[in-house]
């Protein structure tokens, strides 16, 4: 039988988020039920809540950086027991049969059969959309629930489920490591994790920021160098020197200055998803250097678990500001001003 949970939802694209009650399914044989303790606040939440990306169905309960305690398990569940710390990221299911899903790359499901943690049709509750982590509980199939190392601070670990894996995956895929020069563009929720991971992988890490006030913080987080990207001379000093640049900026901007910093065969990977498209980059900057612009989307379940285990081994978590659910609308406004270091996390106990 379905049961209810407290939540915070967007009811249309303009009014503030507010409290509501939602329906969750009781666990089936392969399901894990989680009492949510913490949920990170991602820029994607704001884009969806305000219909800046198409397709929002209201009411919408955002949140895909979910961490909590297992409160019930189905009869066939083998990986989790009641009392375990568990996490849920951006996906709660996929087709599981296509080439990408079989390769553990569910985020690239070839038939778009993935089910997002929120704002996707919920096949378990027909007629309802999936609801995310701005809520007191969630029920998810076991294969899409992740284990969290016990040495990590729970609140600070929750944003690893999006901000963490979104930067870990391209750094791993494009071979960041010793002997490589890696640039991270932007020091926000994604960028600060990119700096931490690039440093932990052993790459020479350069942070690009428009804010001189972030220089010292960038170095504290692990950057070997910090470049003010508005300074032409500072940019010129790094021409044709990067193996990899991870661009985390979620605002439309000129990509050419960063393309020109890539070595021959270097790649810039876009992980920020702006509301409006970037201006088209110059073809000449690409062809004179065989450079690439690529994109990357979170990670599959195996890689996300690998990332969490890596964080446990290296003591890596996000820099967060813990808020009450009642502060979510203020947090959205501050997030638009980049007024957070570097991820808001909702203390879900504030909903009870």
């Amino acid at each position: 039988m379905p049961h209810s949970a407290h939540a915070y939802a967007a009811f249309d694209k303009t009014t503030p988020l507010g409290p509501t009650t939602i329906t969750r399914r009781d666990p089936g044989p392969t399901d894990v039920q989680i009492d949510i303790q913490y949920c990170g606040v991602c820029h994607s939440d704001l884009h969806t809540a305000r219909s800046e990306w198409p397709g929002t169905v209201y009411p919408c309960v955002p949140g895909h950086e979910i961490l909590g305690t297992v409160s019930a398990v189905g009869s066939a569940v083998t990986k989790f027991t009641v009392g375990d710390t568990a996490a849920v990221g951006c996906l709660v299911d996929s087709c599981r049969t296509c080439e990408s899903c079989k390769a553990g790359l569910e985020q690239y499901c070839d038939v778009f059969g993935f089910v997002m943690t929120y704002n996707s049709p919920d096949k378990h509750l027909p007629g309802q959309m999936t609801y995310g982590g701005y809520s007191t509980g969630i029920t998810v199939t076991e294969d899409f629930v992740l284990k969290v190392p016990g040495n990590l601070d729970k609140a600070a670990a929750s944003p690893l489920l999006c901000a963490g894996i979104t930067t870990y995956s391209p750094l791993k895929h494009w071979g960041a490591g010793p002997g490589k020069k890696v640039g991270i563009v932007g020091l926000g929720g994604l960028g600060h994790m990119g700096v931490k991971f690039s440093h932990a992988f052993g790459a020479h890490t350069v942070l690009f920021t428009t804010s001189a006030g972030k220089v010292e913080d960038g170095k504290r987080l692990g950057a070997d160098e910090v470049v003010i990207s508005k300074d032409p001379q500072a940019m010129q000093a790094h021409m044709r020197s990067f193996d990899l640049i991870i661009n985390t900026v979620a605002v439309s901007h000129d990509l050419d200055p960063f393309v020109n910093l890539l070595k021959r065969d270097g790649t810039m990977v876009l992980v920020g998803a702006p509301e409006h498209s970037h201006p088209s980059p110059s073809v000449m900057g690409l062809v004179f250097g065989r450079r690439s612009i690529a994109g990357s989307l979170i990670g599959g379940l195996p890689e996300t678990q690998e990332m969490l285990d890596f964080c446990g081994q290296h003591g890596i978590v996000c820099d967060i500001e813990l808020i009450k659910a009642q502060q979510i609308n203020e947090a959205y406004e501050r997030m638009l001003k980049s007024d957070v270091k570097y991820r808001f996390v909702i203390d879900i106990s504030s909903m009870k």
Side-chain angles (χ1 to χ4, degrees):
M1 292 288 294
H3 61 279
S4 63
H6 299 297
Y8 260 64
F11 300 98
D12 59 52
K13 66 181 181 180
T14 57
T15 57
L17 276 71
T20 191
T21 301
I22 60 172
T23 300
R24 296 294 196 189
R25 72 181 189 269
D26 284 340
T30 61
D31 286 337
V32 175
Q33 181 176 294
I34 299 169
D35 287 343
I36 301 174
Q37 294 171 285
Y38 301 103
C39 184
V41 179
C42 178
H43 211 109
S44 303
D45 300 346
L46 188 154
H47 283 311
T48 306
R50 297 186 174 180
S51 285
E52 293 173 354
W53 292 344
T56 303
V57 176
Y58 296 100
C60 173
V61 177
H64 56 206
E65 298 178 337
I66 299 167
L67 189 145
T69 302
V70 175
S71 56
V73 296
S75 58
V77 169
T78 59
K79 300 175 188 174
F80 295 91
T81 59
V82 172
D84 286 350
T85 300
V88 178
C90 302
L91 303 177
V92 292
D93 209 345
S94 70
C95 87
R96 311 206 201 187
T97 58
C98 70
E99 185 176 341
S100 291
C101 287
K102 287 181 178 178
L105 297 169
E106 296 90 351
Q107 76 275 32
Y108 301 123
C109 182
D110 298 326
V111 296
F112 290 95
F114 51 67
V115 180
M116 306 299 286
T117 304
Y118 62 88
N119 203 49
S120 280
D122 190 336
K123 66 182 181 182
H124 299 281
L125 295 169
Q128 178 176 300
M129 304 298 281
T130 55
Y131 294 138
Y134 296 8
S135 59
T136 52
I138 193 169
T139 304
V140 179
T141 183
E142 175 183 36
D143 291 341
F144 285 74
V145 180
L146 297 138
K147 292 180 177 291
V148 181
N151 64 313
L152 298 180
D153 177 85
K154 290 183 179 181
S158 63
L160 295 173
L161 278 300
C162 178
I165 188 59
T166 297
T167 49
Y168 180 95
S169 184
L171 286 166
K172 188 79 184 294
H173 181 78
W174 274 274
K180 296 294 182 69
K181 185 176 179 181
V182 173
I184 306 293
V185 184
L187 192 66
L190 295 179
H192 92 287
M193 291 308 303
V195 170
K196 289 187 180 192
F197 282 135
S198 179
H199 175 76
F201 285 161
H204 182 85
T205 303
V206 180
L207 168 68
F208 294 94
T209 178
T210 58
S211 173
K214 290 186 175 179
V215 171
E216 290 307 312
D217 231 18
K219 292 180 177 178
R220 174 184 66 83
L221 293 163
D224 297 291
E225 302 177 62
V226 180
V227 174
I228 305 301
S229 56
K230 294 185 291 186
D231 181 343
Q233 286 185 309
M235 295 288 280
Q236 180 67 31
H238 289 273
M239 292 288 282
R240 301 183 70 90
S241 67
F242 283 87
D243 299 283
L244 175 65
I245 295 174
I246 307 294
N247 190 329
T248 74
V249 176
V251 177
S252 176
H253 63 282
D254 184 3
L255 301 178
D256 287 340
F258 299 105
V259 170
N260 293 333
L261 301 183
L262 294 169
K263 287 180 177 178
R264 171 179 48 81
D265 293 326
T267 301
M268 177 164 63
V269 184
L270 306 180
V271 295
E275 179 185 355
H276 304 292
S277 298
H278 298 300
S280 181
S282 166
V283 173
M284 293 302 183
L286 297 170
V287 299
F288 283 96
R290 201 163 59 188
R291 298 154 166 157
S292 301
I293 297 175
S296 182
L297 177 71
I298 55 170
L301 273 297
E303 187 175 51
T304 305
Q305 187 63 62
E306 175 190 305
M307 179 271 305
L308 288 169
D309 295 341
F310 181 89
C311 288
Q313 293 159 10
H314 293 268
I316 295 174
V317 289
C318 297
D319 286 26
I320 69 162
E321 180 176 334
L322 195 62
I323 62 170
K324 296 179 179 179
Q326 295 80 3
Q327 297 172 283
I328 186 61
N329 296 295
E330 176 192 346
Y332 276 14
E333 293 308 314
R334 287 181 54 195
M335 193 161 57
L336 288 172
K337 301 172 186 174
S338 299
D339 178 23
V340 55
K341 290 186 176 180
Y342 282 96
R343 201 68 154 186
F344 287 115
V345 173
I346 302 171
D347 180 351
I348 299 299
S349 68
S350 62
M351 289 189 191
K352 297 174 182 176

